[in-house]
Amino acid sequence: MDRDKLRTVVEGIPAGSWMSYADVCVAAGGFADEARAVNQRLMALEIAGAHRVLRADGRVAPTALGDPERARALLEGEGLAFDERDRASQDARVRQTEEAAAAR
């Protein structure tokens, strides 16, 4: 997966919305099974909006950007709601296709 495409996809997630790690991978030209390594890449590349990348069920990953509490606080500050099971609203989930990312 290309780092520039990764940056474009993540920086394109609107405030108050989120994408899953796997959806980010696919939209950036990679494969869904690369999702396990995305958090490390987001931290290394220091991509703006990286806190908007969550697990597929809408939960903040326990290792999210090395500070999951901060990631959640940023999301809540943007108005993203979480339910009683700590899952972000599926209505706020963005599913971007690789084609849409490439068109940018």
Side-chain angles (χ1 to χ4, degrees), residues 6 16 26 32 36 45 47 59 65 74 78 84 94 99:
L6 177 62
V26 171
R36 292 181 183 211
L45 295 171
I47 298 175
R59 289 184 290 152
L65 303 175
L74 289 168
E78 295 176 353
E84 66 280 349
V94 175
E99 293 79 21

Side-chain angles (χ1 to χ4, degrees), residues 55-84:
R55 294 168 51 155
D57 65 1
R59 289 184 290 152
V60 176
T63 58
L65 303 175
D67 190 350
E69 291 81 18
R70 181 174 183 275
R72 180 167 172 155
L74 289 168
L75 290 164
E76 289 175 332
E78 295 176 353
L80 185 60
F82 288 84
D83 67 16
E84 66 280 349

Side-chain angles (χ1 to χ4, degrees), residues 3-101:
R3 83 172 74 180
D4 292 328
K5 284 185 181 179
L6 177 62
R7 183 177 305 281
T8 299
V9 170
V10 173
E11 289 179 349
I13 303 170
S17 300
W18 64 279
M19 284 182 80
S20 74
Y21 289 99
D23 288 343
V24 165
C25 288
V26 171
F31 300 97
D33 62 356
E34 293 178 89
R36 292 181 183 211
V38 170
N39 187 54
Q40 293 298 319
R41 292 186 76 178
L42 295 174
M43 287 192 301
L45 295 171
E46 298 180 356
I47 298 175
H51 62 284
R52 298 182 188 124
V53 183
L54 305 176
R55 294 168 51 155
D57 65 1
R59 289 184 290 152
V60 176
T63 58
L65 303 175
D67 190 350
E69 291 81 18
R70 181 174 183 275
R72 180 167 172 155
L74 289 168
L75 290 164
E76 289 175 332
E78 295 176 353
L80 185 60
F82 288 84
D83 67 16
E84 66 280 349
R85 297 170 110 183
D86 294 324
R87 294 180 301 195
S89 169
Q90 287 291 325
D91 291 338
R93 184 174 182 176
V94 175
R95 291 183 187 257
Q96 185 176 29
T97 65
E98 184 178 346
E99 293 79 21

